[in-house]
Amino acid sequence: MVASVQAIRVNTAPPYEVLTGRGLLSRIGPFLRQIHATQALVVTSRRVSTLHGSKLKGALKGYRSAWIELPDGERVKDMRTLDRVLQQFARAGADRGSCVIAFGGGSIGDLAGFAASVYMRGIPVVQVPTTLLAQVDASVGGKTAINLGSAKNLVGTFHQPAIVVSDTSVLKTLSDRDFRAGLFEVIKCGAICDPEFFSWCEQSAPKMLTRDPAAIERIVTAAIRIKAEIVSADPTERGLRRILNFGHTIGHALEAAGGYRTLLHGEAVALGMIAAAEIGVNMDITSPEVAERLISCVLQFGPLPKAKFSTSMVMRSLGSDKKSVSGRPHFVLLDKLGSTVIRSDVPDDLIRHAIRSVTT
Ligand SMILES: NC(=O)c1ccc[n+]([C@@H]2O[C@H](COP(=O)([O-])OP(=O)(O)OC[C@H]3O[C@@H](n4cnc5c(N)ncnc54)[C@H](O)[C@@H]3O)[C@@H](O)[C@H]2O)c1
Ligand SMILES: [Zn+2]
């Protein structure tokens, strides 16, 4: 069944569309024809393939295609898997007319997008995200990456997708923890850009948490619109796009301190937003009322795992963040709901205080 389809345009060069709606997976054929792909190289994970592969396979009937199944999760973002995927592209006879279909969560999207960007100096990628985090964030904007040892996302490219096809009905099978992790990125979008949407999230937590289909469509569409607008204005993160890093400065440091095994990305961002609210209040940028609303909203979508790291461990990770400016971490802070400022002059004692507020 296909309910309504929303098409959101991302104005990069060239522009592309993000399509979202229920049941889109089985309608992917015409979109591939639209981008003139002669072969589909599907890169997916075992879990996604088992749960939703038959719909995509059905939609690709009659199409020349290869199906590349990888293990689950973050571990696919490494050189060995990249090498394996590129070899499989070559064995499948892939050429410039082929397109990669990244069918999975953000890990698959990042790896497959990177592989597409380097194979034959770049072939198109169609992002078909299957986690909430990938639908509202990772699939839009063209960032691709793999990890270098323990250095997260250190190797990557900007490679905008030819099209993004987000079927919200696949989110039904997502684990509660992965689903909630995606919701934190959704709240972030409202907090930095859209106060009305933020208020709606505050009031609609029960519907969002029970995955009411209409609520899911609303949050996916709203978050994609916000990301699309920001990416259109700043495709390579030279200015405006940095506001998407709200909650990510301490969030990334917490993820790194846990060796990327303790916290999911969205959970780390949730704790990072709480920390950024603390810093904002102590720098007289965020009012206590705004901080309180943000923190209560985040906690409605909990529980958050305990972040059992020492402050000095997190400070060390913060120092090696690749987004530091002249060695100082930059912080996106809320001056009011829907409006941000970026500061790289936050004193260390305030950073430590904020870290202590979200760690045990
Ligand atoms: N490129 C970007 O702009 C960007 C932005 C944010 C995050 N990321 C990256 O995204 C990655 C995290 O992505 P993620 O949170 O989607 O995690 P993930 O891709 O690791 O997926 C999480 C788990 O969900 C499973 N899964 C996927 N779809 C499912 C479904 N429909 N039903 C049931 N299970 C399903 C996966 O198999 C996996 O086990 C990180 O590597 C992060 O760096 C990239
Ligand atoms: Zn993020």
Side-chain angles (χ1 to χ4, degrees):
M1 199 262 302
V2 179
S4 68
V5 179
Q6 302 280 330
I8 299 156
R9 193 179 155 93
V10 185
N11 274 318
T12 42
Y16 58 96
E17 282 195 320
V18 183
L19 304 176
T20 174
R22 274 174 266 168
L24 277 179
L25 206 49
S26 35
R27 284 212 338 200
I28 205 159
F31 305 131
L32 295 184
R33 279 190 279 282
Q34 208 173 299
I35 60 163
H36 309 293
T38 54
Q39 181 191 28
L41 305 159
V42 182
V43 180
T44 188
S45 78
R46 276 187 207 119
R47 183 178 304 168
V48 171
S49 179
T50 308
L51 289 167
H52 303 288
S54 59
K55 278 208 186 106
L56 183 58
K57 279 183 182 150
L60 292 175
K61 266 207 184 102
Y63 228 93
R64 191 159 76 95
S65 57
W67 194 267
I68 301 167
E69 229 169 82
L70 303 173
D72 262 326
E74 184 74 22
R75 70 195 136 141
V76 299
K77 287 176 58 174
D78 71 347
M79 287 288 184
R80 274 182 50 193
T81 314
L82 174 72
D83 180 78
R84 186 178 143 195
V85 167
L86 293 173
Q87 304 250 13
Q88 284 183 260
F89 288 177
R91 269 202 299 280
D95 59 23
R96 288 257 168 87
S98 312
C99 82
V100 173
I101 298 189
F103 180 43
S107 304
I108 289 288
D110 275 9
L111 180 262
F114 186 59
S117 75
V118 294
Y119 187 78
M120 290 190 163
R121 300 200 180 83
I123 59 174
V125 61
V126 175
Q127 291 285 351
V128 184
T130 62
T131 62
L132 181 59
L133 184 112
Q135 295 197 350
V136 298
D137 189 3
S139 62
V140 182
K143 279 193 190 175
T144 80
I146 58 171
N147 306 324
L148 197 65
S150 61
K152 169 107 164 149
N153 294 339
L154 197 63
V155 177
T157 52
F158 280 102
H159 188 56
Q160 300 293 343
I163 191 166
V164 181
V165 181
S166 260
D167 183 342
T168 50
S169 56
V170 302
L171 301 179
K172 271 188 288 210
T173 55
L174 205 56
S175 72
D176 272 344
R177 193 175 168 201
D178 279 306
F179 186 74
R180 279 189 278 102
L183 288 177
F184 295 121
E185 291 276 8
V186 171
I187 296 169
K188 176 202 79 178
C189 289
I192 59 171
C193 273
D194 188 341
E196 265 173 48
F197 178 58
F198 181 83
S199 303
W200 183 86
C201 289
E202 281 177 310
Q203 285 148 25
S204 311
K207 276 192 189 157
M208 289 160 74
L209 286 164
T210 52
R211 305 188 205 186
D212 171 78
I216 289 190
E217 277 182 56
R218 165 120 203 224
I219 58 178
V220 172
T221 311
I224 292 172
R225 274 192 210 292
I226 291 168
K227 181 139 189 203
E229 203 173 304
I230 293 172
V231 167
S232 299
D234 178 19
T236 52
E237 201 169 306
R238 297 192 187 274
L240 180 68
R241 191 164 173 171
R242 289 163 65 199
I243 69 171
L244 290 167
N245 288 330
F246 178 56
H248 283 58
T249 309
I250 287 181
H252 280 149
L254 292 169
E255 267 185 293
Y260 300 97
R261 282 184 299 273
T262 319
L263 296 170
L264 297 179
H265 176 72
E267 294 168 341
V269 170
L271 295 169
M273 288 193 286
I274 294 174
E278 291 272 341
I279 291 175
V281 170
N282 288 326
M283 298 274 292
D284 281 330
I285 291 170
T286 312
S287 70
E289 295 73 33
V290 165
E292 174 56 34
R293 272 181 74 186
L294 178 79
I295 294 170
S296 318
C297 185
V298 166
L299 295 178
Q300 280 198 80
F301 297 93
L304 287 165
K306 296 251 173 297
K308 289 188 188 157
F309 314 121
S310 70
T311 307
S312 54
M313 248 169 109
V314 183
M315 284 298 279
R316 260 200 309 280
S317 310
L318 203 55
S320 52
D321 189 329
K322 65 179 184 302
K323 285 179 182 152
S324 299
V325 181
S326 320
R328 294 293 308 165
H330 76 248
F331 285 89
V332 181
L333 303 172
L334 289 183
D335 58 353
K336 52 183 193 275
L337 279 169
S339 166
T340 51
V341 291
I342 298 183
R343 296 283 291 258
S344 50
D345 61 343
V346 179
D348 278 357
D349 59 328
L350 291 192
I351 302 177
R352 280 200 201 90
H353 179 78
I355 293 171
R356 274 196 294 274
S357 74
V358 293
T359 50
T360 52

